[in-house]
Amino acid sequence: MKKITAFIGSARKKGTYLAVNELEINLKNIGNFDFEYIFLNDYNIEFCCGCKLCFDKGEKLCPYKDDRDILIEKLEKSDGVVFASPSYAFQVSGRMKNFIDRIAFIYHRPRFFNKIFTAIGVQFIPFGKQTQKYLESAGRNLGFNVLNGTTVITPEPIPEKQLKELQANIRKLAIQFNQRLNDKNPCKPSLFKIVTFRMTRSGLQSSSIKLYDYEYYKEKGWFHSAYYYDIQLNLFQKFIGWLSDVLGRKLFK
Ligand SMILES: Cc1cc2nc3c(=O)[nH]c(=O)nc-3n(C[C@H](O)[C@H](O)[C@H](O)COP(=O)(O)O)c2cc1C
């Protein structure tokens, strides 16, 4: 049975919940899933104070002893992860953003490569997808295998036409999410991801200052690998990777 965890950035059980619940129903119609809701509102997540200890010296040194690690464990124990947030002022809710800030050290030391991630943006205005796009970028930066998500429109009360549209959107997402969960092939990296990986690792390796991330990269064997995980690069990708290594070494020396 696959474990799916949905992180919800709304304090209400309204539009965002409706969309996530629809995803749960559709997934359970297709297969066997253990589906968990994480209402971020129910967890104690302090505001990041910006000390950067998590980046520079390790996340264990964070001054806050709150629920951050409980939530990270939820991410680690999932096969599939959903970030769902209402749009507030054309962006994710503060609740969701604060959660992302608190785990942003993982952007420096990514993981979750074999887990599937998707995003649901929930909003009133029927155009723009900033919330969904931001959540997808967070998923990619954390290391997930990201399936592009969806944006749903939830006026209150929601008219029949919009409800039908929401249901159709989420049904499609559930089918794609299930397919991606069953796809055994590793996610193909974009050229941008290859460039950032290779420049970062070469920069870390050649820099005289040994940053905290250096040990993580060393432990993972990333100073000698083509990418974060085992993947066959084509000739062009290999060339770009080599060039990025050269650039990374020069820039961060
Ligand atoms: C503070 C605040 C800001 C909002 N800003 C936007 C916005 O910029 N664009 C938009 O389409 N909807 C905006 N909305 C509407 C919500 O995104 C919409 O009502 C959504 O359904 C709320 O999710 P919920 O029902 O799960 O709470 C805003 C709502 C609030 C409370």
Side-chain angles (χ1 to χ4, degrees):
M1 190 190 299
K2 298 241 191 276
K3 167 90 188 167
I4 311 298
T5 312
F7 292 77
I8 297 175
S10 171
R12 314 187 309 161
K13 258 189 160 178
K14 295 270 186 173
T16 313
Y17 175 74
L18 173 75
V20 175
N21 185 239
E22 199 60 33
L23 183 69
E24 180 192 10
I25 292 168
N26 277 281
L27 282 174
K28 287 187 172 168
N29 279 342
I30 309 172
N32 207 3
F33 291 99
D34 168 8
F35 198 101
E36 185 176 359
Y37 293 80
I38 302 290
F39 296 96
L40 292 174
N41 204 38
D42 293 342
Y43 290 81
N44 173 27
I45 320 167
E46 299 283 350
F47 275 111
C48 173
C49 67
C51 65
K52 293 201 269 114
L53 279 169
C54 58
F55 289 113
D56 299 341
K57 298 202 165 145
E59 61 271 28
K60 287 201 172 58
L61 295 181
C62 177
Y64 300 120
K65 302 296 164 234
D66 57 9
D67 293 339
R68 181 199 68 176
D69 290 350
I70 295 175
L71 297 176
I72 293 175
E73 205 184 324
K74 300 265 183 205
L75 292 169
E76 272 161 0
K77 292 206 164 136
S78 307
D79 301 298
V81 167
V82 183
F83 279 12
S85 176
S87 169
Y88 284 179
F90 300 109
Q91 251 306 339
V92 296
S93 66
R95 209 168 263 102
M96 176 59 81
K97 181 63 168 65
N98 185 43
F99 168 54
I100 293 171
D101 290 349
R102 291 295 310 287
I103 60 170
F105 66 89
I106 303 177
Y107 283 30
H108 280 216
R109 304 185 286 277
R111 33 181 135 160
F112 312 131
F113 302 111
N114 57 353
K115 300 179 191 300
I116 313 302
F117 175 101
T118 199
I120 304 178
V122 182
Q123 59 194 54
F124 175 76
I125 298 171
F127 53 82
K129 293 189 170 187
Q130 295 94 332
T131 302
Q132 175 200 332
K133 295 284 162 211
Y134 180 77
L135 294 173
E136 287 166 1
S137 79
R140 274 189 290 275
N141 287 319
L142 293 166
F144 285 103
N145 177 344
V146 176
L147 167 71
N148 286 342
T150 191
T151 297
V152 296
I153 314 300
T154 57
E156 289 175 53
I158 185 162
E160 195 57 27
K161 180 175 169 274
Q162 247 131 1
L163 182 63
K164 289 246 158 12
E165 266 172 30
L166 180 150
Q167 287 168 332
N169 267 348
I170 299 286
R171 195 175 312 120
K172 196 169 141 206
L173 184 65
I175 293 166
Q176 292 171 342
F177 198 52
N178 181 53
Q179 276 167 353
R180 189 70 75 93
L181 282 161
N182 290 313
D183 186 352
K184 299 276 173 278
N185 296 316
C187 178
K188 284 193 186 129
S190 65
L191 210 52
F192 178 74
K193 286 295 276 182
I194 296 171
V195 170
T196 45
F197 167 70
R198 297 287 281 263
M199 282 185 70
T200 308
R201 73 101 179 261
S202 300
L204 281 171
Q205 201 174 19
S206 67
S207 169
S208 51
I209 309 158
K210 288 294 168 244
L211 298 173
Y212 184 79
D213 298 346
Y214 176 88
E215 284 306 321
Y216 187 80
Y217 272 61
K218 196 169 146 196
E219 188 191 304
K220 298 275 174 203
W222 288 348
F223 292 130
H224 306 289
S225 61
Y227 191 58
Y228 292 115
Y229 46 83
D230 198 17
I231 186 119
Q232 193 61 41
L233 302 185
N234 63 34
L235 261 182
F236 180 64
Q237 289 170 320
K238 279 184 187 166
F239 172 69
I240 296 294
W242 170 82
L243 203 62
S244 308
D245 279 333
V246 173
L247 270 174
R249 277 196 290 272
K250 278 210 180 333
L251 280 174
F252 299 103
K253 208 162 190 174

